[in-house]
Amino acid sequence: MTEVSLIGLGAMGSALASALLDAGRSTTVWNRSPEKAEPAAARGAQVAPDARSAVASSPVSIVCVDNYAISEAILADTGPALAGRILIQLTSDTGTAAAELAEWAAAQGARYLDGVILAYPSDMGTAGATILAAGDADAWAEAEPVLRDLAGASAYVGANVRVPSMLSAAAIAPLLGLVLGAAQGAVMCEAEGFPVAEYAEMLRPLSGLLNDQLQHTLATIAENRFDDPEAALKTYASSVADRTAESRSRGVNAEFYGFVDDVLDRAIGRGLGDQELSALIELWR
Ligand code: NAP
């Protein structure tokens, strides 16, 4: 018997195996392509001949493959071996897929945790890496030390297994807005012959302000408190409309600004012009 079994040794699974071995955990591994198990085997991991043997070798099994359809095909052969054990799914997929797998795991008599990894393979095993897990609270209590060996900042986010994949998408949304906004700013700089590197330097001191804005936005939404803005939504809207019109008239792509212009225009139409910018969430609720 070993402490943990790991199914899937791709880029992420191999990093998980390394982190478990670094932490001194006795580990069993299985991967469809057996050669990928060789580095873990050289470090003392047991290599199972199939996924069912891997599951039978440890009280906790972790799966990390491409998607849930693949993991379900792999786990279908392990069913009876899962009874009384903990199954942790660290493959990325949808909340619906997580809920279906949780139901299937419960039917096998396994306790289930669904997790998302908010880190790159090279981060695994570090204090700052995060795995967000949901599902069986007792399973979390037992498996927490293992998950913290994999990612030191791991956290339990409740019983609802649909939540981790949602949080993964919710975490990346502000980053996507930032990147698309930066690309919009850069294309405007280029059109004006202003060096993008200087634009980047100009923004560097604003990182604290960006975080303040993020926290303020989410605080106003959490408290549903939009009626005391320092700058009203209509003020932003006017500036965005000016920039969008100017960019378009000069042939500069203003796709991102155009999207924001449309949203703010509709928000004003709903009577939100004198509110916080974050009041636009009323359009999406
Ligand atoms: P990867 O390097 O492409 O590895 C894919 C894994 O799935 C391999 O173990 C592969 O086995 C296995 N697999 C694929 N098709 C299979 C099949 N039909 N039957 C059995 N096994 C099969 O991908 P990865 O980067 O490790 O990602 C794995 C999961 O981690 C994904 O859900 C991903 O979203 C998530 N994740 C990755 C990162 C990252 O930065 N890489 C970050 C966060 C989360 P073979 O070796 O035999 O092909």
Side-chain angles (χ1 to χ4, degrees):
M1 285 291 283
T2 51
E3 289 173 272
V4 189
S5 291
L6 181 61
I7 292 173
L9 293 168
M12 182 52 86
S14 294
L16 297 176
S18 286
L20 290 171
L21 295 166
D22 287 348
R25 298 255 174 215
S26 59
T27 304
T28 298
V29 295
W30 178 80
N31 191 65
R32 176 182 62 172
S33 311
E35 67 277 7
K36 290 192 188 163
E38 287 168 13
R43 296 191 57 200
Q46 290 188 23
V47 181
D50 49 50
R52 184 188 179 119
S53 308
V55 165
S57 297
S58 308
V60 176
S61 285
I62 298 172
V63 182
C64 186
V65 293
D66 271 348
N67 56 50
Y68 279 41
I70 291 170
S71 75
E72 279 164 21
I74 294 170
L75 290 169
D77 292 334
T78 69
L82 275 168
R85 301 178 198 275
I86 295 174
L87 175 64
I88 306 176
Q89 174 63 280
L90 294 183
T91 302
S92 310
D93 214 310
T94 62
T96 301
E100 286 170 5
L101 189 58
E103 199 174 320
W104 178 85
Q108 315 309 310
R111 287 177 294 152
Y112 181 74
L113 288 172
D114 195 274
V116 290
I117 303 170
L118 303 183
Y120 292 111
S122 58
D123 299 320
M124 301 322 295
T126 66
T130 301
I131 292 172
L132 301 179
D136 187 296
D138 292 338
W140 164 259
E142 282 176 45
E144 182 182 353
V146 170
L147 288 167
R148 286 198 186 275
D149 285 341
L150 295 175
S154 293
Y156 179 65
V157 293
N160 183 354
V161 296
R162 299 176 64 91
V163 165
S165 62
M166 178 280 294
L167 284 178
S168 171
I172 206 166
L175 292 181
L176 295 173
L178 189 73
V179 173
L180 266 67
Q184 177 71 83
V187 82
M188 289 160 69
C189 287
E190 286 175 356
E192 212 58 64
F194 187 84
V196 172
E198 281 187 42
Y199 167 57
E201 282 307 311
M202 184 199 93
L203 291 179
R204 195 183 291 279
L206 300 187
S207 60
L209 189 143
L210 289 177
N211 189 46
D212 289 350
Q213 182 72 49
L214 181 66
Q215 297 305 324
H216 176 74
T217 297
L218 295 176
T220 57
I221 291 172
E223 295 161 17
N224 239 0
R225 177 178 47 75
F226 303 117
D227 55 0
D228 187 22
E230 210 165 345
L233 187 148
K234 68 182 180 196
T235 310
Y236 283 98
S238 156
S239 159
V240 169
D242 288 350
R243 296 285 165 271
T244 309
E246 185 192 27
S247 296
R248 283 181 177 155
S249 72
R250 298 177 63 241
V252 179
N253 187 305
E255 233 171 307
F256 178 76
Y257 260 121
F259 165 72
V260 177
D261 189 28
D262 173 59
V263 171
L264 297 190
D265 210 32
R266 287 190 289 126
I268 289 171
R270 280 271 295 269
L272 301 169
D274 292 322
Q275 310 258 298
E276 290 271 0
L277 184 55
S278 53
L280 66 86
I281 195 173
E282 297 289 6
L283 294 178
W284 296 345
R285 276 178 166 158

